[in-house]
Amino acid sequence: MNAVAPILAELIEQARTETEKRKRVLPVADLEELIAEQKPTRDFKAAVKRDHRLSVIAEMKRRTPSAGLLAPRYRPGVIARSYYEGGADAISVLTHQGGFGGYADHLHEARQTTELPMLRKDFVIDEHQVIEARALGADAVLLIVAALETRRLRELVELAESLGLDALVEAHDEHELATALETGTKIVGVNHRDLRTFLVDLSLTERLRPLVPPDVVYVAESGVHGPEQARRMRDAGADAVLVGESLMRAVDVRWHLHQLAVRDAR
């Protein structure tokens, strides 16, 4: 792992503090009991790999460090249901408290209203976060290359898979993408947002997509606000887009999701 950017380092430290608190509330033994009561996980990878259209992973989050407050009345169950009814293929739940106003329990709330596959999106650095994701109803976890040493990244990918979770491994450049692929993950995400500057560059997908094998699902993250950007991502070969801010602000969620799920020319 390269030197961590100050913004990312702060978010990771917040995640570490939150996780230590969660360990006292829900120790691993309790999480394992919850997992024993859970249904089998849903196939996140299959849900976001479509033959003739771009899949949409609809993200819910209360706020972001760059955009500020997005939802004064934040009700994860209601939002998840609206995403399901609008035609989303999967849901991403932000559970990071410090930067995004999320809580791990939001996963459980969202799970009660829909059977869509769910991704726990957080700065995952500890086994507890992965096990907790499974216990609270997630089907996949986000792992960020820039936030983890390579050995640690591989360990968490293996743990996720052993629990039946898909691992979406996120990269931002060629070096990080190579590291992601070396883990053997079948889903990679390219974050167009530079976590050092928070600037967005959609050309990253056009540059990095050819480096990803065709059997690995490619998710384009950040900077997709409408059909123009969605079409650009599909034309570049993305299988799915992860969209949050524009959906959280949308007046008509169903219409917005329909616009994002662009179809291939026949």
Side-chain angles (χ1 to χ4, degrees):
M1 181 176 68
N2 297 324
V4 178
I7 296 173
L8 179 57
E10 180 180 353
L11 294 170
I12 291 171
E13 189 54 37
Q14 290 171 351
R16 197 182 310 279
T17 300
E18 292 166 19
T19 300
E20 291 306 312
K21 292 178 181 178
R22 293 293 297 177
K23 286 179 179 179
R24 294 192 289 272
V25 173
L26 274 176
V28 169
D30 291 352
L31 293 176
E32 290 174 343
E33 289 183 9
L34 289 173
I35 290 172
E37 299 171 359
Q38 289 282 345
K39 297 178 182 178
T41 52
R42 299 142 197 87
D43 193 334
F44 185 88
K45 176 177 178 285
V48 299
K49 176 68 172 176
R50 303 293 182 184
D51 290 334
H52 301 297
R53 70 168 173 84
L54 187 70
S55 296
V56 180
I57 304 169
E59 182 162 280
M60 59 174 69
K61 50 192 173 185
R62 189 193 302 270
R63 64 173 183 263
T64 76
S66 58
L69 185 65
L70 299 174
R73 296 185 66 210
Y74 186 72
R75 295 180 292 173
V78 173
I79 297 168
R81 186 68 186 179
S82 71
Y83 286 169
Y84 164 71
E85 293 175 349
D89 298 284
I91 294 175
S92 169
V93 183
L94 232 309
T95 62
H96 185 273
Q97 182 181 353
F100 297 88
Y103 292 89
D105 293 337
H106 288 165
L107 271 171
H108 179 70
E109 291 180 43
R111 172 53 67 213
Q112 303 313 299
T113 61
T114 173
E115 290 297 306
L116 283 179
M118 290 196 179
L119 169 74
R120 179 180 189 172
K121 192 176 180 192
D122 207 323
F123 296 87
V124 175
I125 52 173
D126 190 284
E127 288 88 351
H128 188 275
Q129 292 166 285
V130 179
I131 299 168
E132 183 180 52
R134 177 68 178 91
L136 295 178
D139 307 289
V141 290
L142 178 79
L143 299 171
I144 303 172
V145 173
L148 295 160
E149 297 288 349
T150 301
R151 179 184 60 81
R152 189 73 172 140
L153 175 64
R154 288 175 178 155
E155 290 173 350
L156 293 178
V157 168
E158 291 174 2
L159 173 60
E161 292 176 347
S162 73
L163 293 169
L165 298 167
D166 282 316
L168 194 169
V169 182
E170 179 182 293
H172 181 68
D173 57 27
E174 287 85 350
H175 175 72
E176 290 183 4
L177 181 59
T179 299
L181 292 172
E182 286 171 5
T183 68
T185 183
K186 290 302 180 181
I187 316 174
V188 297
V190 167
N191 191 347
H192 301 126
R193 189 181 301 279
D194 188 333
L195 293 177
R196 295 167 298 180
T197 64
F198 271 70
L199 296 177
V200 172
D201 179 7
L202 291 178
S203 70
L204 280 177
T205 282
E206 290 153 344
R207 194 173 87 213
L208 299 184
R209 182 62 182 97
L211 305 179
V212 178
D215 63 327
V216 175
V217 174
Y218 185 104
V219 180
E221 305 172 19
S222 298
V224 177
H225 302 294
E228 181 179 352
Q229 296 93 358
R231 169 59 65 187
R232 181 177 175 183
M233 295 300 97
R234 186 60 169 178
D235 289 346
D239 297 296
V241 288
L242 190 151
V243 181
E245 184 177 331
S246 64
L247 279 170
M248 292 300 302
R249 296 184 187 278
V251 175
D252 187 334
V253 170
R254 182 187 298 271
W255 181 87
H256 196 64
L257 282 165
H258 178 74
Q259 293 294 304
L260 291 169
V262 295
R263 297 184 177 276
D264 296 339
R266 299 260 185 149

